[in-house]
Amino acid sequence: MSLNNFDHNKLSSSSNITQDIRLVIPLFLLNKLKKHPLTQGTYPVSLGKITHQNNFQINHDNTEHHCLIYCQSGRGILEHRNKIRDVNRGDLVIYSPRQSFLFSTQPGHNNAFFWVNFSGKLADDFAERLLMKMDDGLANVGILSNIINDFDSLLALGSRGYTATNVIHAVHVLQQALSFLALQLRLTAFNNSSTFDIDDIETLMRNNLHQELSLDTLAHYSQLSKFHFAKKFKELTDTAPIQHFINMKMQQACLELDNSDKTIKTIAESLGYNDPYYFSRLFKKIVGMSPKQYRDSRHS
């Protein structure tokens, strides 16, 4: 497809671009993606990879889609709202529709930048999850091998062909990449602003499934006040700490029900519940069925 047929982003290069990859989703396919129930949420409009060392530009100006750029290596310059910022290894850039910016790679560097323009009914929601943890559209997420693999898989769509199965898979690879990047941004922002270690807290919980843990104990372990501990924990997990601990207990109960012949009373006691009826009510509230129904469902 010639550059003249590409009206989603204005791209320019001062050298031969044979090393670069660019896929523009054909109009007939875009019309299908907009309507298909498995793709209408979020889908790629165009995507590519910049790999050469000479200057290359992406000019995002009054477009109707979101634009995302991920730096695997090299260096770029981002111009937005009269600010000029560096884009380096592991950096992520994202801008929403009708937001103008100019991105340029810098010559003399081993440049490798992935880019994707995406749209759809859920595109704003995906973008919002990313932007809420970014500095005006720019943040560092580090080198993520799974994200690189996801982009490579998306770009392989050009060789696999635009069959329905291939395109539906590519759409869900894109959604997977966007959701993982949002998670990584959240973790990065949290770790940069706190000595709070969620892995340590979850290990503490896992090692104490046989008993109760109070909010006081958890907060003391993290050397935080109860208020700040609960706030930070929920910010990272979307769940209150004690509820998260109870959920872990119920996951363990499911494991025991599936893989042992222990009585429900024995399982309840092993998880710190001396009243099996209370345990059963709690299990049903969280899992959606009683422990007996859950165990019996193995054979249904």
Side-chain angles (χ1 to χ4, degrees):
M1 184 172 290
S2 69
L3 191 62
N4 291 334
N5 291 330
F6 180 51
D7 58 1
H8 307 298
N9 268 0
K10 301 172 185 176
L11 303 178
S12 62
S13 174
S14 61
S15 67
N16 189 290
I17 62 171
T18 55
Q19 292 180 312
D20 297 323
I21 304 171
R22 181 165 64 97
L23 297 180
V24 179
I25 306 303
L27 184 59
F28 81 90
L29 186 54
L30 281 179
N31 289 333
K32 291 183 178 180
L33 294 177
K34 292 176 184 177
K35 299 175 183 178
H36 197 289
L38 293 179
T39 60
Q40 62 183 324
T42 306
Y43 53 85
V45 174
S46 54
L47 61 152
K49 185 176 183 180
I50 306 165
T51 56
H52 58 66
Q53 295 188 7
N54 293 313
N55 185 264
F56 191 98
Q57 292 186 341
I58 296 178
N59 187 1
H60 189 269
D61 186 20
N62 293 320
T63 57
E64 297 300 317
H65 54 259
H66 299 271
C67 180
L68 181 149
I69 301 168
Y70 176 63
C71 177
Q72 181 181 358
S73 62
R75 182 168 179 258
I77 296 294
L78 180 65
E79 299 180 44
H80 174 64
R81 293 177 178 168
N82 298 317
K83 285 198 300 185
I84 298 178
R85 294 186 288 174
D86 288 339
V87 180
N88 297 303
R89 189 172 185 266
D91 280 350
L92 182 71
V93 175
I94 184 168
Y95 284 108
S96 301
R98 293 169 295 283
Q99 280 196 309
S100 298
F101 74 87
L102 177 65
F103 171 78
S104 307
T105 60
Q106 295 301 290
H109 295 269
N110 184 26
N111 291 320
F113 290 87
F114 293 100
W115 58 270
V116 59
N117 299 314
F118 62 95
S119 189
K121 292 183 177 179
L122 299 178
D124 287 346
D125 298 293
F126 274 107
E128 182 181 357
R129 294 290 291 177
L130 292 162
L131 289 166
M132 66 190 299
K133 295 298 180 181
M134 301 177 76
D135 178 16
D136 194 19
L138 175 66
N140 185 273
V141 293
I143 298 302
L144 306 170
S145 58
N146 58 321
I147 291 299
I148 293 170
N149 290 337
D150 285 346
F151 274 115
D152 284 337
S153 179
L154 284 167
L155 292 172
L157 179 64
S159 58
R160 292 198 306 267
Y162 293 135
T163 65
T165 302
N166 287 339
V167 174
I168 289 172
H169 174 68
V171 165
H172 288 279
V173 169
L174 172 62
Q175 293 179 359
Q176 171 183 276
L178 293 173
S179 60
F180 182 83
L181 285 168
L183 173 63
Q184 191 64 30
L185 281 167
R186 196 168 190 173
L187 288 170
T188 301
F190 190 87
N191 291 335
N192 288 342
S193 63
S194 175
T195 57
F196 184 93
D197 192 324
I198 185 64
D199 291 333
D200 279 353
I201 296 299
E202 290 200 323
T203 298
L204 176 68
M205 291 179 173
R206 198 168 292 110
N207 290 338
N208 288 276
L209 293 177
H210 61 286
Q211 63 181 353
E212 291 185 6
L213 280 179
S214 68
L215 186 59
D216 281 321
T217 300
L218 294 170
H220 178 74
Y221 181 83
S222 299
Q223 297 182 333
L224 294 170
S225 69
K226 287 196 296 183
F227 173 79
H228 284 100
F229 171 77
K231 182 175 183 292
K232 287 178 178 294
F233 191 95
K234 189 164 187 178
E235 179 184 343
L236 190 59
T237 66
D238 288 327
T239 310
I242 298 303
Q243 184 60 54
H244 188 79
F245 183 48
I246 293 171
N247 292 344
M248 290 176 71
K249 283 175 178 272
M250 295 306 112
Q251 288 173 354
Q252 181 63 29
C254 289
L255 187 66
E256 296 281 355
L257 290 165
D258 279 337
N259 295 285
S260 78
D261 293 322
K262 295 177 183 177
T263 65
I264 292 171
K265 182 176 184 295
T266 299
I267 293 173
E269 288 175 346
S270 73
L271 294 170
Y273 298 104
N274 294 323
D275 183 347
Y277 298 104
Y278 173 73
F279 166 75
S280 294
R281 290 196 300 272
L282 189 59
F283 185 96
K284 184 174 183 179
K285 180 180 179 181
I286 292 172
V287 179
M289 62 183 83
S290 71
K292 183 179 184 305
Q293 289 172 326
Y294 180 85
R295 173 170 272 170
D296 291 343
S297 69
R298 288 184 300 177
H299 310 295
S300 61

